[in-house]
Amino acid sequence: MSEDAVQGESATALDPDEEKRVVEEESLNAATTHEVIRRQGRKELERTAAALAWSGIAAGLSMGLSLVAQAVISAAMPDSPHRAIVTSFGYSAGFLAVILGSQQLFTENTLTPIVPFMTERTPAMFGKVLKLWGVVLLANLVGGLLFSEAIAHAQFLAPAARDAADAIARESLEPSSRDLFIRAIGSGWMIALMVWMLPAAGGATPFVVVVMTWLVSAAGLPHVVVGSIELFYLAARDLTSLPAGVIHYLLPVLAGNLLGGTTLVAALNHAQVATDSRAATK
């Protein structure tokens, strides 16, 4: 029996449910992911500024859970070489709340609105991207500021957890601005890559979020929203200067996250899909 005949016999042996699963698995390619994200991005770009702002404030509040969870875990852990690795799992708490709660987080938006912009590069579309970025980033910072003030002044954390939060936040601000910028490119890339992976994740979405965000924390890569909460928290407790922190930490991390998210994921992944499309039309 020829090889083609064997392959044909194997294909006809599949029942309808098995054939459906094969088709679904084949459809999970770069072009499909690109289209899913493009449509998501279009929807986000059409939302009103008020809707984006409320969702962004909610995300800023939710991201405060990352600092709280890390502080609680760290306070309960003995002093050991593995302490930071285990504590980093708490970093995922805020991201899980934001993603599963469908809230607007700035670093996710370094990917989703860029994909439709790459397919429709017009001044109007670029203006929508800038509006979305500006509203969501500002709203995230406002939500983060509110959360930071609350945990700094309202005895929200037990004394041991508060001390751990102090140490975690201080450690985040220790690197030089140059190092923060370079590391932030990595975290921007990883968060955008995580968003790119989610359409294919299905029921494994929480697992993907935990693994990717744990790695960001364990590798010491700064994130502009989580980092802003740590900065606001230290400033609220009079442990650092807010203006100096904005210049030393917030601006370099913002620039790095933008570069990592837009260039290394959105542009490159769009490029592979566009190249495949051009090749198919020849």
Side-chain angles (χ1 to χ4, degrees), residues 106-120:
F106 174 73
T107 44
E108 286 186 72
N109 284 319
T110 60
L111 173 70
T112 44
I114 290 298
V115 172
F117 172 69
M118 295 296 290
T119 59
E120 186 182 337

Side-chain angles (χ1 to χ4, degrees), residues 70-99:
Q70 288 183 96
V72 170
I73 295 172
S74 180
M77 287 283 296
D79 190 9
S80 74
H82 307 295
R83 184 177 188 177
I85 298 297
V86 177
T87 298
S88 292
F89 279 106
Y91 191 82
S92 303
F95 289 92
L96 282 168
V98 165
I99 291 171

Side-chain angles (χ1 to χ4, degrees), residues 117-150:
F117 172 69
M118 295 296 290
T119 59
E120 186 182 337
R121 302 178 196 181
T122 64
M125 182 63 76
F126 185 60
K128 289 181 179 180
V129 171
L130 291 180
K131 182 196 81 169
L132 186 147
W133 279 356
V135 171
V136 171
L137 177 60
L138 180 59
N140 286 168
L141 294 178
V142 169
L145 177 62
L146 294 174
F147 189 93
S148 301
E149 291 289 335

